[in-house]
Amino acid sequence: MNQAAPAPRENQGDPVVRIDARLKVTGQASYPADIATANVAYGALATSSIARGRVSALHLQDARAVPGVLDIVTYGDMDKTDTPKFGNTGASSIGPLHDKTIFHDGQIIALVVAETFEAAEEAAMLIRADYDDEQPSASFDSKGTSTEAAAGKNPMLKEDAKAGDFDAAWAAAAVKVDERYSTPTQHHNPIELFSTTAMWQGDQLTIHEPSQNVTGWKMELARQLKLDPANVRIISPYIGGAFGSKGPMTARTAIVAVAARRIGRPVRCVVSRMQAFGAQTYRAETRHRIRIGAGKDGRITAFGHEGWEVTSRPDPYVVGGTSATARMYNYGSVLTHVALVHADRNTPGYMRSPPETPYVYALENAMDEMAVALGMDPVEFRRVNEPVKEPIGGRPFSSRSLIKCYDQASEAFGWSKRDPEAGSMRDGDWLVGMGCATAIYPTAAAPCAARVRLTADGEVRVQCGSHEIGTGVRTVAGQMAAERLGVGMEKVSVEMGDSALPPAPVSGGSISTASVCSAVMMACDAVRAKLFAAAAGKDGPLAGSGNAKLDMADGKIVTETGKSAKLADVFKAMQVGAIEEYAEFAPKGSSPEALNKLYAGQPEFHGGESDKDSVKYAFGAEFVEVRINSRTREIRVPRIVGAFAAGRIMNTRTARSQLMGGMIWGIGQALHEATEIDRRAARYVNRDLQDYLVPVNADIKAVDVILVPEVDHEVNPAGVKGLGELGNVGTAAAVASAVYHATGKRIRDLPIRIEHLIV
Amino acid sequence: MRPFVYERPTSVSAAVAMASHAGAGHVPPTAADTQFIAGGTNLADYMKLGVGRPDRLLDLNTLAEPALRKIRTSDDAIRFGALVRMGEAADNDDVRRRCPLLADSLKLAASGQLRNMATLGGNVLQRTRCEYFRETSWPCNKREPGSGCAAMEGVNRQHAVLGTSDSCIATYHGDFAQALIALDATVDIEGRRGKRTLAFAKLHRLPGETPNIETDLAADEIITAIEVPLRPWSGRSRYLKIRDRESYAFALASAAVALDMEGQTVRSVRIGLGGVATVPWRAVAAEDALQGKVLDEAAAQKAADAAFADARPREHNAFKIPLGKRTLVRALLETRDMKV
Ligand SMILES: Cc1cc2nc3c(=O)[nH]c(=O)nc-3n(C[C@H](O)[C@H](O)[C@H](O)COP(=O)(O)OP(=O)(O)OC[C@H]3O[C@@H](n4cnc5c(N)ncnc54)[C@H](O)[C@@H]3O)c2cc1C
Ligand code: SF4
């Protein structure tokens, strides 16, 4: 055991090494754009340099004249296809080549296809467009935006949560906080660039593209191209960072497919880092007004959370994080409202904990302000407001270990050494600040299918159309099979990332481990049942063991009483070489059509706030120390401690890695990340990793992850709560609180930078 | 990227001859059809973006003259060949011992990979990172004279407050140059009209009305060496760089300081300022303010006020004035307290 592989505590699995670790660190894992493809042609995008208006003319002569150019796909060429749909599988309803209207900066205006990447790029740069341009609206406060209530516009937010009489409670509250917070535009910037490789064999289309949703994309692409879904295959074995950006399919996929059909050759298009800022989804900027009213004893009596989110003109993309903030503490009364502001921007999309990251940031920053206003310790303040039931529907929590997380994290952090007075702690020229915040993420699961095959020699193959986006889901699915079938990990292979495999839901919402492991468990149990029946049957090697409970371990079937039979002998008795089982898992509360919807690429999610019997969340507590130079005010984070409880931990190594990565991202969200927009033109200006800052190694010092044991049988058969998106929730608020503690200055707009602290 | 011809001259004189033709004296090197490439970390990047548009590249890495790759230290100067890599100079023991400011300004720049590629000649000539300059669809007087300046009323957090004009407010981002200008460095230049030695302070030009003309160089001139005199202040010298993250970022503000002290009194001081000005910046007024004074907090503050007396902020970069001042104060006091 070492820091990367924490010793498992109660209800935690072994820190098994990732199945693909060696492949990845030696560069042998083939990402979709790496797949060797014979006779491939290269595509390069040309994109708009305005954010609103129409293309009046497109000048292609210079581009066509570049040696090696094979084709240019542009207006008119997509007319025989259907326009994209906005939803879980489609990033936006904008069909960039179906219509000459420009909805946002960086919208695709053409795809050049050439013999070489260089020729395609050169030609794409030579495409000139004439525009009838109009004054665009960039964001909040821009002229010409339209604002509407968000609830009901999108399944993400069915209604604005409320409880009790907020107005009366607010009016009567002894202590009040009423503040506004904001979070900036952010782009995922996964290190693996976005790419599509399309190839046809007759009317069979194969797409290699990093995807978090191969089944959904297969169905959506078939719809756009008017193909039988059986003829479309999406392959995505490895993904070099996704964070939601590879969840919904963008318009590019169909365009590249059409190009490949036109030239009768495979086409590969890799989107440049800069173009990805316009051609992909992003986390839109948000604004918040938080009102907290409390009695002098620290009990909250009124909680108000109003949110504003930017989206595109045509699509009602909503995150609506009030669903979680409204259920966080034991508020007496709750009032929430979310509004959408339509601007001349691309449609935003999911980015790691889409709702919770911005909304919990606002709530937790306000909680710290309230603790200060009450003169109460911030941890104590949360303890006082710990609920027994969630305040909106009065349902219990399936499990809730928030206070345990606070206890273990604050102990490890040394919170008791903090002098509560702001600006009081110092180390030489450096101001020292300490802050904390709560992390929360809804626990959901979705229907999922899996196939498991066990052969007489103990080899196991697991197949499931889920996606290894770096979380370790291939490894934990393998672990589940190894555990249930009593074989070592070296005997297990796991295939994922292919729409030809049994369908799995989109790898989003932190549902994968729960959904995939539950399906794999079901398939394994079916294999076990067959083996047990044969082993204990009258001709079986364990005949006569009666009703004794059987299990599998060390490549054997074992009985409670210590008898055992080798797998090979059981197979021999069965006169088969392999047992293969296909399982379809549907979470509790699924509708009768749940499995059909899974195959249609539109899986239902269950859990979180949507179940009748209880609400389901994973929780955590994060503690941060910041150091701020007393003169020049640069902010550094020497250490961060997070304690998290998320039901059964399948693998302490991959769990820690996810949470650590999340907290590091949280530090980046607090201090570095922001896409800058030119407000006159509604165009992004810092479209590369030189100007779009994320933390580098030197920024990250001690990161301590504590996995708090928790048992929850209610969430799903595997007892697993998703934690892929838990770690980066709350971090930014903890940093903001630490900055306040160091300086006495409350910064409410992210990211927190030198300029906020200097004057 | 546009296609271009790539050639590998084998001597400085051959390279100069290849770059020379009738027009070479009349366009700035950055607009010439033939351009030199050294590490390529700046030029190749800008060619990909369509900002650098040479038809022909002459690779300086094949020049045979050994002096181009050498660091020579004598009692009174350090001489760097123009092709010495940033990393090599940063890690050179003599340089660090004799003049920590030089080593630090290189060590704190870019990343390990870039420092291994980038040359000192290319480093001092690196072009601005102004976002509007880097994206060809924006108006930019530096890239396209007369087209306007998108940064003036745009996103200008990283832009300059000193040495700006109504045409351009782009920051000169290099770190090493701040050390060179503070330390009275000179550059050796070879061109069609022969060899010359230029004060480093005269190498870069203020943007004025012609921000497209960035240096005093002609398109057929090559920097062959950079020389830094060693003086009583060289040993007590320091580079302080303030940035958004701990590494791999350009300066929001930086200060290059070299001090010659007599007890607590300043006998002589040299100050360069980075991240805040359109060109490498020597803070002469601040130096004058400190001359002969006891260097304490108040004196440092006065000097910093003098350094930024003419600063002109825009919408997002006003913080660079207080930040620049505090950076200088901190650098002065830290340099004073150095154990040498
Ligand atoms: C991501 C990133 C971060 C960076 N961060 C920093 C930083 O923090 N601090 C910093 O100071 N720099 C930084 N840099 C800039 C880097 O230091 C420069 O790109 C590098 O020093 C340029 O050197 P080069 O040899 O690669 O020049 P090239 O790219 O080869 O050339 C640059 C220019 O100089 C000309 N040229 C080169 N050599 C000569 C010569 N001998 N005579 C005449 N003309 C010549 C070329 O024609 C060209 O116009 C960063 C760069 C990047 C890409
Ligand atoms: S500041 Fe200078 S480089 Fe930037 S856009 Fe304006 S003119 Fe161009």
Side-chain angles (χ1 to χ4, degrees):
Chain A
M1 301 290 151
N2 56 39
Q3 207 192 4
R9 297 162 76 186
E10 186 202 339
N11 200 27
Q12 298 180 351
D14 287 338
V16 168
V17 173
R18 285 166 194 267
I19 288 188
D20 36 30
R22 186 167 292 274
L23 289 178
K24 285 188 171 176
V25 298
T26 55
Q28 290 177 73
S30 278
Y31 294 83
D34 302 333
I35 307 286
T37 307
N39 198 29
V40 70
Y42 294 86
L45 299 176
T47 58
S48 73
S49 61
I50 66 160
R52 180 186 172 97
R54 281 185 72 75
V55 173
S56 56
L58 207 56
H59 304 283
L60 303 176
Q61 314 82 294
D62 293 351
R64 287 202 201 283
V66 171
V69 168
L70 300 166
D71 194 10
I72 299 179
V73 181
T74 184
Y75 299 107
D77 300 331
M78 297 296 291
D79 287 357
K80 294 211 186 83
T81 68
D82 274 340
T83 51
K85 259 193 199 153
F86 166 70
N88 271 335
T89 46
S92 168
S93 65
I94 299 167
L97 299 182
H98 282 89
D99 181 353
K100 291 186 175 170
T101 308
I102 298 292
F103 292 95
H104 62 88
D105 173 35
Q107 185 174 315
I108 296 172
I109 58 175
L111 171 73
V112 179
V113 182
E115 291 287 354
T116 63
F117 170 71
E118 290 76 11
E121 264 220 315
E122 184 194 348
M125 281 180 92
L126 290 172
I127 291 180
R128 278 185 308 108
D130 296 336
Y131 301 102
D132 294 327
D133 56 334
E134 295 165 29
Q135 179 56 45
S137 312
S139 181
F140 297 128
D141 302 337
S142 298
K143 253 196 244 159
T145 57
S146 64
T147 304
E148 62 175 347
K153 296 287 178 325
N154 180 317
M156 287 287 281
L157 186 71
K158 295 199 181 74
E159 57 189 6
D160 286 325
K162 58 175 190 283
D165 184 347
F166 172 85
D167 290 333
W170 173 249
V175 186
K176 297 182 188 187
V177 164
D178 181 356
E179 293 293 350
R180 288 172 186 267
Y181 306 85
S182 75
T183 64
T185 315
Q186 296 175 344
H187 279 78
H188 313 73
N189 278 306
I191 285 298
E192 179 201 20
L193 294 171
F194 298 96
S195 74
T196 306
T197 304
M199 51 186 93
W200 293 85
Q201 271 177 311
D203 56 2
Q204 308 244 341
L205 172 63
T206 302
I207 299 284
H208 293 274
E209 177 166 342
S211 170
Q212 295 172 255
N213 190 4
V214 289
T215 302
W217 289 25
K218 174 182 80 171
M219 302 307 287
E220 172 62 10
L221 189 61
R223 187 193 65 75
Q224 287 180 30
L225 298 178
K226 303 180 182 171
L227 297 170
D228 178 349
N231 286 340
V232 178
R233 183 171 173 200
I234 313 280
I235 303 179
S236 179
Y238 293 101
I239 297 145
F243 318 117
S245 67
K246 292 158 182 169
M249 193 176 78
T250 66
R252 180 187 69 251
T253 309
I255 295 171
V256 176
V258 165
R261 187 158 57 187
R262 281 160 63 99
I263 66 164
R265 280 171 67 174
V267 173
R268 169 165 295 155
C269 172
V270 178
V271 182
S272 74
R273 176 73 58 195
M274 279 182 143
Q275 286 178 332
F277 278 77
Q280 294 296 143
T281 61
Y282 62 99
R283 193 199 295 281
E285 56 273 38
T286 66
R287 285 183 173 176
H288 308 263
R289 179 188 184 196
I290 302 265
R291 283 179 285 174
I292 303 178
K296 292 226 166 68
D297 58 358
R299 282 180 209 286
I300 299 173
T301 52
F303 171 63
H305 193 165
E306 292 154 80
W308 290 262
E309 305 176 15
V310 163
T311 186
S312 63
R313 291 286 179 190
D315 299 324
Y317 178 83
V318 178
V319 299
T322 44
S323 303
T325 59
R327 293 174 173 88
M328 185 84 108
Y329 299 112
N330 190 27
Y331 319 114
S333 62
V334 176
L335 184 75
T336 69
H337 183 68
V338 176
L340 274 186
V341 176
H342 292 271
D344 296 302
R345 300 275 295 281
N346 196 1
T347 307
Y350 308 112
M351 184 161 170
R352 204 172 190 177
S353 17
E356 291 74 20
T357 296
Y359 280 77
V360 173
Y361 159 70
L363 164 61
E364 289 297 289
N365 208 347
M367 286 293 284
D368 196 69
E369 299 210 49
M370 187 50 136
V372 172
L374 289 162
M376 229 171 150
D377 176 76
V379 178
E380 188 54 27
F381 179 46
R382 282 153 175 115
R383 201 186 302 276
V384 165
N385 289 288
E386 179 67 3
V388 178
K389 296 194 165 166
E390 56 98 0
I392 306 301
R395 292 165 291 180
F397 294 84
S398 67
S399 58
R400 178 173 169 122
S401 309
L402 177 61
I403 297 303
K404 269 192 208 146
C405 292
Y406 266 109
D407 289 344
Q408 296 188 18
S410 65
E411 165 88 35
F413 182 82
W415 182 251
S416 59
K417 297 194 192 82
R418 173 181 182 262
D419 180 335
E421 198 186 325
S424 63
M425 295 182 77
R426 218 181 148 115
D427 182 4
D429 287 340
W430 295 82
L431 311 175
V432 177
M434 299 180 184
C436 64
T438 303
I440 180 172
Y441 197 83
T443 300
C448 184
R451 191 187 294 122
V452 172
R453 184 177 70 187
L454 175 69
T455 48
D457 55 5
E459 299 280 340
V460 175
R461 185 184 70 184
V462 177
Q463 293 177 307
C464 174
S466 187
H467 322 81
E468 177 52 90
I469 56 175
T471 54
V473 68
R474 278 183 71 207
T475 306
V476 300
Q479 255 179 293
M480 176 58 89
E483 213 169 90
R484 300 302 286 176
L485 300 178
V487 300
M489 269 303 272
E490 73 287 348
K491 293 281 209 181
V492 182
S493 67
V494 183
E495 294 174 15
M496 285 190 180
D498 186 337
S499 63
L501 296 171
V506 53
S507 291
S510 298
I511 59 164
S512 287
T513 301
S515 312
V516 171
C517 288
S518 295
V520 170
M521 194 167 115
M522 274 177 80
C524 290
D525 288 352
V527 172
R528 285 161 60 103
K530 278 198 176 157
L531 283 168
F532 293 171
K538 72 174 171 22
D539 300 326
L542 296 175
S545 45
N547 291 333
K549 251 193 167 167
L550 301 182
D551 201 353
M552 296 179 75
D554 305 322
K556 294 184 205 121
I557 316 265
V558 294
T559 71
E560 284 168 315
T561 53
K563 283 208 279 179
S564 69
K566 285 201 193 122
L567 267 185
D569 296 335
V570 183
F571 275 89
K572 206 183 252 167
M574 293 172 78
Q575 300 193 351
V576 296
I579 301 176
E580 186 166 277
E581 286 294 332
Y582 188 98
E584 294 172 324
F585 161 72
K588 211 165 65 178
S590 290
S591 73
E593 313 86 66
L595 286 167
N596 288 342
K597 287 193 196 158
L598 168 67
Y599 286 87
Q602 302 290 341
E604 295 174 354
F605 278 35
H606 291 276
E609 297 106 19
S610 71
D611 292 354
K612 287 207 185 68
D613 48 349
S614 64
V615 289
K616 302 176 175 69
Y617 295 100
F619 288 92
E622 298 186 18
F623 288 74
V624 173
E625 178 180 319
V626 301
R627 294 192 166 222
I628 300 174
N629 188 274
S630 58
R631 288 185 197 277
T632 40
R633 300 277 155 167
E634 65 271 31
I635 310 162
R636 301 293 181 246
V637 181
R639 60 197 189 99
I640 176 167
V641 176
F644 305 91
R648 167 144 184 92
I649 301 298
M650 290 297 300
N651 177 326
T652 55
R653 180 196 302 271
T654 53
R656 170 185 174 273
S657 166
Q658 283 296 294
L659 293 163
M660 174 180 69
M663 288 199 283
I664 292 171
W665 194 347
I667 293 171
Q669 283 166 333
L671 302 177
H672 305 112
E673 269 189 73
T675 311
E676 315 275 0
I677 183 160
D678 184 297
R679 297 189 63 91
R680 301 162 300 179
R683 299 184 65 193
Y684 300 129
V685 296
N686 58 335
R687 300 182 306 150
D688 55 40
L689 292 179
Q690 173 210 300
D691 286 324
Y692 186 94
L693 298 182
V694 297
V696 294
N697 275 323
D699 291 302
I700 303 303
K701 305 286 200 270
V703 181
D704 192 3
V705 177
I706 300 167
L707 298 168
V708 176
E710 184 182 69
V711 178
D712 187 333
H713 294 300
E714 208 175 317
V715 280
N716 50 59
V720 163
K721 292 180 174 180
L723 49 70
E725 295 170 88
L726 181 61
N728 60 316
V729 178
T731 321
V735 174
S737 303
V739 168
Y740 170 80
H741 180 236
T743 63
K745 272 191 104 169
R746 178 70 59 178
I747 310 300
R748 302 185 179 90
D749 303 313
L750 294 180
I752 303 169
R753 287 183 168 164
I754 286 181
E755 54 263 47
H756 297 116
L757 301 177
I758 198 91
V759 266
Chain B
M1 201 193 291
R2 296 166 73 242
F4 57 88
V5 174
Y6 170 76
E7 291 185 79
R8 315 176 81 181
T10 53
S11 69
V12 173
S13 56
V16 167
M18 287 162 82
S20 297
H21 60 78
H26 303 293
V27 292
T30 49
D33 45 14
T34 297
Q35 296 182 23
F36 303 119
I37 185 161
T41 61
N42 191 242
L43 182 55
D45 189 9
Y46 282 9
M47 286 169 66
K48 283 193 233 165
L49 297 171
V51 174
R53 306 174 67 82
D55 295 323
R56 183 168 169 240
L57 281 185
L58 302 181
D59 191 345
L60 300 182
N61 293 296
T62 49
L63 303 184
E65 289 85 345
L68 291 170
R69 295 180 184 78
K70 288 216 166 104
I71 302 173
R72 276 203 344 246
T73 315
S74 65
D75 282 349
D76 56 1
I78 305 178
R79 196 177 162 79
F80 299 97
L83 292 180
V84 169
R85 308 285 147 171
M86 289 169 74
E88 189 192 340
D91 296 339
N92 183 292
D93 286 340
D94 275 346
V95 175
R96 174 158 302 281
R97 195 167 41 79
R98 308 286 295 272
C99 190
L101 165 57
L102 283 172
D104 285 347
S105 71
L106 289 163
K107 193 91 195 170
L108 296 175
S111 66
Q113 295 91 328
L114 285 159
R115 291 196 295 272
N116 286 340
M117 270 314 274
T119 65
L120 298 182
N123 180 280
V124 298
L125 296 176
Q126 64 179 278
R127 307 190 70 193
T128 185
R129 322 297 292 196
C130 169
E131 298 95 335
Y132 297 97
F133 171 75
R134 287 164 60 82
E135 161 58 51
T136 55
S137 57
W138 293 101
C140 168
N141 289 324
K142 190 187 274 299
R143 186 166 25 75
E144 223 154 299
S147 62
C149 170
M152 207 67 81
E153 307 296 333
V155 177
N156 46 35
R157 174 176 189 261
Q158 55 130 307
H159 286 72
V161 293
L162 291 169
T164 57
S165 73
D166 292 340
S167 299
C168 179
I169 56 171
T171 300
Y172 174 85
H173 291 282
D175 293 302
F176 185 47
Q178 315 305 342
L180 296 178
I181 199 163
L183 297 168
D184 295 325
T186 55
V187 279
D188 287 358
I189 297 165
E190 206 168 318
R192 188 164 51 111
R193 279 144 297 139
K195 299 185 183 178
R196 59 184 179 127
T197 296
L198 189 69
F200 186 78
K202 296 227 164 95
L203 180 64
H204 293 82
R205 289 204 192 160
L206 284 166
E209 286 173 14
T210 52
N212 57 314
I213 304 176
E214 295 173 356
T215 66
D216 193 58
L217 294 178
D220 56 12
E221 283 188 314
I222 295 176
I223 295 179
T224 55
I226 298 169
E227 188 164 304
V228 183
L230 291 172
R231 296 286 181 265
W233 52 75
S234 307
R236 184 179 293 283
S237 69
R238 187 173 173 77
Y239 190 69
L240 177 65
K241 181 172 177 179
I242 307 301
R243 40 187 167 172
D244 284 312
R245 60 185 176 196
E246 187 70 23
S247 170
Y248 197 31
F250 290 100
L252 292 169
S254 70
V257 170
L259 273 174
D260 178 19
M261 302 290 292
E262 186 166 3
Q264 292 299 299
T265 305
V266 176
R267 201 181 290 145
S268 202
V269 57
R270 293 289 183 276
I271 300 172
L273 296 177
V276 291
T278 54
V279 289
W281 196 260
R282 178 86 175 254
V284 181
E287 293 176 4
D288 291 348
L290 287 168
Q291 195 70 42
K293 300 275 159 49
V294 170
L295 179 45
D296 56 13
E297 177 96 31
Q301 186 59 51
K302 249 194 188 152
D305 288 341
F308 286 86
D310 296 329
R312 290 204 304 174
R314 305 296 308 179
E315 186 182 350
H316 305 115
N317 66 357
F319 75 100
K320 284 195 173 182
I321 298 175
L323 177 63
K325 290 182 187 177
R326 288 169 182 225
T327 303
L328 178 53
V329 170
R330 185 176 153 193
L332 283 166
L333 299 179
E334 287 180 1
T335 312
R336 177 195 68 185
D337 297 340
M338 275 174 75
K339 295 203 168 41
V340 289

